[in-house]
């Protein structure tokens, strides 16, 4: 019996039959030319939807994930080169990048993520003229936010001492933080341009830019640290140059090659409706920051334990490895956000719903694979970061917690991406606040300081918070009425564009 998905056309085109569907070129499948998905009636429909959605998802997620992995590699290779200078240097840079830099990264990424909702839904509805204006508004808002974050970098040493970090670690971390201030300002340009390109699925260029500057960054680290002997100053210089290179390359591509795809030049309209844009940006920032800062806080809490150099160093290595997987899922997060926002803007509720189901299932499989890989190599992977046998042994002892975290982190970012695509940022911010800071962190504090578990206890408590948050978000997603989400997306477009949305759809 012919599948209703094929008979009714599915997402590819009403003209595609079963044989033609499986032999259609990827660009046709990824374009989503037809209407919404029909209802699923049998297993054949499920297979076809999984195939179509996988093609669409990875056409977006693959380049985005590769770009983010390359950008994260800039952080990771900085840690790797510095780690061979000594344990104190490794702990200091880990504190600076994992705590202070992650603070600004989380806040600015969150504010920039408002564009995932607005640009994605505007693109889906055909309002291309608004994409460049949204991006310019985001540049203004994020650049202003950087000045509010600046004191955190300038006064990093006393802040870290106040948080209980050892004096020598706090002093080195504070010096390094001042040296990487230029990198923070680069994010105000980087994130809005990323979201502008992602909303239109122009993600191949992001992958190439990320790869080129990761390669250049490794070369600069070797030159500045190993050849010139500049130490931490050399690591900071390479970090700043690479970050601004990525940001300016993305801007240059938009200025030259996106003139007919959302970029209409600089416009005074970017200064209009700034306050409503700020409110949505802050809601996005709070949602994402509560997630990023949650795992940042584990480094701070660990710094209060009896042997902070080994505790912070071993945990930072685990967080670094977890970050590699996390960057992959941030790429998937961005892709599902684009998929959901595009489909809601195009009035395709069932396509939005099915894209979520397929993405969650595939992400969980990837998380399980990464978990198994960590447990298999638990006695060896720390060698990449340190020559210290004591540090390697401490990392191997924490490997089982890293494996559990990787499974949880495979699902949680996907659901957060759905929230951004649907515009649920405020709701998810409240959920994150409860699960992370009322349940997870206090539990981690109790297990870490009131038992003999130490850093293990802190991590176990935080895993419990993540598990609770994931369960709640999965339940909310399962119960979502996607027809209502389409209606809300239409209302949001009318509010932000000031245009009759019907006149822009065909």
């Amino acid at each position: 019996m012919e599948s209703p998905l094929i008979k009714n056309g599915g997402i590819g085109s009403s003209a595609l039959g079963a044989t033609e569907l499986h032999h259609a070129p990827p660009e046709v499948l990824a374009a989503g030319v037809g209407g919404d998905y029909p209802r699923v009636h049998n297993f054949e429909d499920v297979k076809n939807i999984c195939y179509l959605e996988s093609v669409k998802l990875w056409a977006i997620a693959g380049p985005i994930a590769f770009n983010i992995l390359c950008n994260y590699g800039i952080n990771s290779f900085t840690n790797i080169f510095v780690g061979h200078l000594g344990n104190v240097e490794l702990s200091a840079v880990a504190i600076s990048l994992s705590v202070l830099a992650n603070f600004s990264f989380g806040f600015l990424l969150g504010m920039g993520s408002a564009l995932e909702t607005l640009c994605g839904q505007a693109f889906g509805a055909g309002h291309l003229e608004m994409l460049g204006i949204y991006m310019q508004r985001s540049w203004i808002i994020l650049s202003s936010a950087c000045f509010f974050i600046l004191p955190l970098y300038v006064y990093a040493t006393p802040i870290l001492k106040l948080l209980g970090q050892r004096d020598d670690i706090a002093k080195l971390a504070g010096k390094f933080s001042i040296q990487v201030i230029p990198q923070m300002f680069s994010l105000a340009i980087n994130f809005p341009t990323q979201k502008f390109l992602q909303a239109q699925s122009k993600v191949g260029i992001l992958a190439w830019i990320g790869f080129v500057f990761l390669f250049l960054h490794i070369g600069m680290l070797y030159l500045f640290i190993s050849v010139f002997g500049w130490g931490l100053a050399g690591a900071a210089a390479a970090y700043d140059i690479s970050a601004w290179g990525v940001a300016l390359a993305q801007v240059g591509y938009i200025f030259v090659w996106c003139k007919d795809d959302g970029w209409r030049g600089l416009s005074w309209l970017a200064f209009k409706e700034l306050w409503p844009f700020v409110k949505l940006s802050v809601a996005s920032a709070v949602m994402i920051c509560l997630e990023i800062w949650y795992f940042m806080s584990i480094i701070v809490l660990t710094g209060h334990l009896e042997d902070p150099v080994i505790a912070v160093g071993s945990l930072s290595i685990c967080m670094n490895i977890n970050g590699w997987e996390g960057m992959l899922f941030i790429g998937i997060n961005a892709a599902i956000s684009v998929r959901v926002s595009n489909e809601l803007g195009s009035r395709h509720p069932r396509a939005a719903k099915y894209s979520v189901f397929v993405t969650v299932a595939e992400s969980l499989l990837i998380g399980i694979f990464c978990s198994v890989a960590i447990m298999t190599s638990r006695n060896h992977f720390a060698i990449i970061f340190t020559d210290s046998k004591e540090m390697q042994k401490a990392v191997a002892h924490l490997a089982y917690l890293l494996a559990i975290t990787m499974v949880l982190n495979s699902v949680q970012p996907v659901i957060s991406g759905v929230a951004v695509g649907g515009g649920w940022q405020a709701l998810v911010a409240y959920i994150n606040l409860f699960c992370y800071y009322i349940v997870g962190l206090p539990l981690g504090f109790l297990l870490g300081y009131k038992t003999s578990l130490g850093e293990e206890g802190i991590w176990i408590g935080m895993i419990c918070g993540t598990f609770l948050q994931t369960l709640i978000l999965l339940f909310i997603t399962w119960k979502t009425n996607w027809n209502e989400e389409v209606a809300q997306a239409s209302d949001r477009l009318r509010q932000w564009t000031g245009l009759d949305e019907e006149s822009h759809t065909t």
Side-chain angles (χ1 to χ4, degrees), residues 7-248:
K7 183 177 180 180
N8 294 331
I11 196 167
S13 170
S14 60
L16 288 176
T19 302
E20 293 154 302
L21 172 67
H22 291 290
H23 290 86
E27 61 268 25
V28 173
L29 295 173
V33 177
D36 199 3
Y37 284 120
R39 292 185 182 278
V40 170
H41 292 357
N42 53 47
F43 183 68
E44 189 67 23
D45 289 351
V46 173
K47 288 198 302 181
N48 288 324
I49 286 176
C50 287
Y51 174 76
L52 289 169
E53 271 305 318
S54 295
V55 172
K56 284 189 150 196
L57 174 73
W58 289 104
I60 303 172
I64 292 177
F66 183 77
N67 167 258
I68 293 175
L69 284 168
C70 289
N71 289 340
Y72 185 73
I74 291 175
N75 274 33
S76 190
F77 277 101
T78 301
N79 269 319
I80 289 171
F81 273 81
V82 169
H84 291 283
L85 295 175
N87 285 343
V88 174
E89 286 82 356
L90 171 63
S91 295
V93 171
I95 287 285
S96 180
L97 296 183
S98 299
V99 178
L100 300 175
N102 258 5
F103 186 97
S104 59
F105 179 91
F107 191 77
L108 295 172
L109 174 64
M111 295 193 79
S113 293
L115 288 185
E116 290 185 23
T117 302
L118 297 175
C119 285
Q121 293 183 1
F123 180 77
H127 293 293
L128 292 180
E129 72 283 355
M130 296 303 299
L131 301 184
I133 294 172
Y134 289 156
M135 180 178 67
Q136 292 171 64
R137 284 178 189 166
S138 193
W139 282 345
I140 295 167
I141 292 168
L142 267 64
S143 297
S144 301
C146 285
F147 288 98
F148 289 96
I149 300 172
L150 190 58
L152 182 68
Y153 283 70
V154 175
Y155 299 105
T157 296
I159 289 171
L160 290 172
K161 288 182 180 179
L162 186 65
L163 292 173
Q165 299 302 313
R166 214 172 71 178
D167 285 357
D168 56 344
I169 296 176
K171 185 177 179 180
L172 269 180
K175 183 178 179 181
F176 185 80
S177 297
I178 291 175
Q179 293 170 338
V180 297
I181 286 174
Q183 183 270 345
M184 175 188 65
F185 279 90
S186 76
L187 300 179
I189 305 300
N190 186 342
F191 290 144
T193 54
Q194 273 189 13
K195 306 309 176 186
F196 173 93
L197 293 167
Q198 288 173 14
Q200 305 173 71
S201 299
K202 292 180 177 294
V203 290
I205 185 62
L206 294 177
W208 279 108
I209 290 173
F211 174 75
V212 168
F213 280 96
L214 173 61
F215 181 79
L216 292 175
H217 182 68
I218 295 171
M220 284 188 288
L221 284 172
Y222 177 77
L223 183 66
F224 295 164
I225 296 176
S226 301
V227 178
F228 293 165
W230 291 352
L232 293 187
Y239 195 59
D240 293 336
I241 294 170
S242 299
W244 270 105
V246 169
L248 294 178

Side-chain angles (χ1 to χ4, degrees), residues 304-325:
H304 293 269
L305 296 175
E306 290 183 5
D307 189 353
V309 173
I310 296 299
V312 171
S314 61
L315 201 57
S316 69
I317 289 173
C318 288
M319 289 294 103
N320 200 300
I321 296 293
N322 182 61
W324 278 97
E325 189 217 34

